[in-house]
Amino acid sequence: MAKPEEANPRWIVEERPDATNVNNWHWSEKNATDWSKNKIRGLLTNLEIDEPGLGKCIIHEVESIEGEAFVNNRKAKLIFFYEWNIKAKWKGNLNGEPADKEVEGEIEIPNLSEENGPEEIEVQVTVKKGSGTVVGDALKELLRNKGTTILQNQLAKYIGELREDFAKDLILPTKDSKANQSNTSSNIKHVGKPQVKSNVTGNVNNTTSDSKGKSDAEDSFKTLKLTDSMKCRADELFNVLTMPELVSAFSRSQAVLEAKEGGSFSMFGGNITGTFISLQAPNSIKQKWRFTNWPKDHYSDVSITLEQKSEDTSITLNQTGIPNSDYERTENGWKNYYFESIKRTFGFGATLY
């Protein structure tokens, strides 16, 4: 007969208040479905995605959360299973736009599961009210880009709390509970990838890093170059870019311009301001150009070149001195609020016959 000290520890009832699941050997399970639904709903409801100088969206209703979540303990190892399909409603508007221009839509997150890291979570955005408009397209892009990162970070919080808080009492204490508690984190079987890191500002914390060996000046500014074509004459496009009533039309807001050397301009509710450096109709426009939230007195240099061709006019934009942190917003702004909006407003994207 084996001596007590030689017995297999799985069969020994230790000196502990409960004598069940000794050494956490047997499979145990905890249903996290209801807790998860409440946690996800709380993290997403009334979440704001705000882009200074552009506009703001808010997720005002989490419409449905379908799926389930469980935490399992086997041999003191925690195994997580969760699979969710989330649908929510959003609304938003651009800065300076009237309330009747408010856009509404839906988002769907179809793949929140332990098989994907937070940065792999997919966010599908649709526009219901305002579809096909400049405002609708702009806000859709805001949600698809900055909004996706903010949503990924919020759902990373859910994953973290599921692993650390909800599951903390699933591994039962032993007589060596102090040692066991100190090693709890190493006993967790993490399925998926670490929390996504982002430099996006919003309702989540930032994580940034500076590269060693580079000066601030090297990393502070970027240069943008864009080309496109418009189905119009060069003089028509020049007028669209310099006449206040035409600029107001494609920008969907009151624009103030003095189209002359040294003349100032203000667009998109004052969010973009600057000065005309030179105008050579119908081929060239040069400006000092800035967003209002850029560092005080900092302007970028914008050069717009128009080239008349047989069937259309090519437009080339060069912009230097863009703050590194605002490069993506600036690029998307020119594409969506200038080029694409001009095409829609004046029909310059249509084929000429």
Side-chain angles (χ1 to χ4, degrees):
M1 179 180 294
K3 298 178 181 179
E5 62 270 16
E6 297 174 348
N8 191 314
R10 82 182 75 178
W11 302 113
I12 298 176
V13 178
E14 297 179 344
E15 299 171 0
R16 42 179 283 172
D18 67 42
T20 61
N21 203 5
V22 177
N23 287 330
N24 296 282
W25 185 264
H26 301 294
W27 184 281
S28 58
E29 182 176 83
K30 191 175 181 181
N31 191 325
T33 300
D34 290 340
W35 178 90
S36 295
K37 288 183 177 181
N38 291 331
K39 178 60 64 176
I40 292 170
R41 196 177 299 275
L43 287 168
L44 300 188
T45 302
N46 294 324
L47 180 66
E48 293 185 359
I49 297 92
D50 188 8
E51 182 63 66
L54 176 61
K56 180 171 68 176
C57 297
I58 183 170
I59 299 175
H60 63 92
E61 178 184 350
V62 177
E63 191 173 15
S64 65
I65 306 174
E66 297 179 356
E68 57 185 353
F70 294 90
V71 183
N72 300 300
N73 167 31
R74 177 69 167 105
K75 299 181 183 179
K77 299 290 185 181
L78 293 180
I79 303 170
F80 297 86
F81 170 82
Y82 53 91
E83 187 171 17
W84 297 107
N85 181 285
I86 305 166
K87 294 181 180 179
K89 295 181 178 181
W90 64 272
K91 58 185 178 181
N93 211 339
L94 298 181
N95 292 347
E97 289 288 331
D100 60 2
K101 294 285 187 179
E102 186 175 67
V103 174
E104 297 178 2
E106 298 177 353
I107 64 168
E108 181 174 0
I109 302 169
N111 68 330
L112 176 58
S113 74
E114 78 284 352
E115 296 180 355
N116 301 305
E119 74 279 8
E120 296 174 315
I121 295 171
E122 181 183 357
V123 179
Q124 300 172 355
V125 183
T126 56
V127 179
K128 298 297 183 181
K129 178 186 174 183
S131 177
T133 65
V134 173
V135 177
D137 290 346
L139 295 177
K140 182 177 180 180
E141 287 302 309
L142 174 59
L143 282 168
R144 287 178 59 188
N145 291 285
K146 184 173 184 176
T148 292
T149 304
I150 290 177
L151 286 163
Q152 288 171 340
N153 276 280
Q154 290 297 93
L155 294 173
K157 292 181 182 179
Y158 156 69
I159 296 169
E161 292 188 34
L162 175 67
R163 289 171 171 168
E164 302 299 334
D165 294 338
F166 183 83
K168 64 184 178 182
D169 60 350
L170 197 57
I171 295 181
L172 300 175
T174 68
K175 66 180 180 181
D176 299 321
S177 59
K178 288 185 178 180
N180 202 34
Q181 289 171 3
S182 65
N183 294 324
T184 298
S185 60
S186 63
N187 288 335
I188 296 177
K189 181 180 179 182
H190 291 280
V191 183
K193 298 183 180 180
Q195 179 169 342
V196 62
K197 296 181 179 181
S198 169
N199 63 357
V200 174
T201 57
N203 293 355
V204 294
N205 292 331
N206 296 348
T207 304
T208 59
S209 61
D210 295 324
S211 300
K212 293 182 179 180
K214 291 185 178 181
S215 67
D216 292 340
E218 287 179 302
D219 293 333
S220 295
F221 303 104
K222 283 189 174 182
T223 297
L224 172 67
K225 181 175 182 179
L226 295 173
T227 59
D228 207 331
S229 61
M230 304 280 181
K231 299 295 184 179
C232 63
R233 300 190 311 272
D235 63 320
E236 292 176 320
L237 184 52
F238 185 90
N239 289 338
V240 165
L241 294 168
T242 56
M243 296 180 64
E245 60 271 24
L246 300 183
V247 175
S248 296
F250 80 75
S251 66
R252 304 293 194 271
S253 60
Q254 183 65 40
V256 179
L257 296 93
E258 297 177 280
K260 62 181 182 180
E261 291 188 11
S264 62
F265 62 86
S266 175
M267 302 170 57
F268 298 101
N271 289 308
I272 293 174
T273 59
T275 305
F276 288 100
I277 302 304
S278 69
L279 298 97
Q280 298 177 3
N283 301 119
S284 175
I285 301 170
K286 294 184 178 180
Q287 303 170 329
K288 291 289 187 181
W289 188 103
R290 74 187 305 272
F291 278 115
T292 54
N293 67 324
W294 283 4
K296 185 179 179 181
D297 298 328
H298 175 74
Y299 287 83
S300 64
D301 292 306
V302 171
S303 175
I304 300 173
T305 303
L306 309 178
E307 183 181 355
Q308 177 80 56
K309 297 187 177 180
S310 59
E311 295 185 355
D312 57 23
T313 296
S314 68
I315 177 171
T316 301
L317 169 85
N318 281 282
Q319 184 173 8
T320 61
I322 303 169
N324 186 51
S325 60
D326 235 355
Y327 180 83
E328 184 177 347
R329 175 167 73 120
T330 305
E331 181 182 27
N332 289 335
W334 282 106
K335 289 178 178 178
N336 295 318
Y337 311 137
Y338 280 80
F339 294 175
E340 293 303 319
S341 183
I342 287 172
K343 290 177 182 179
R344 291 192 187 95
T345 304
F346 303 105
F348 291 173
T351 301
L352 295 179
Y353 294 99

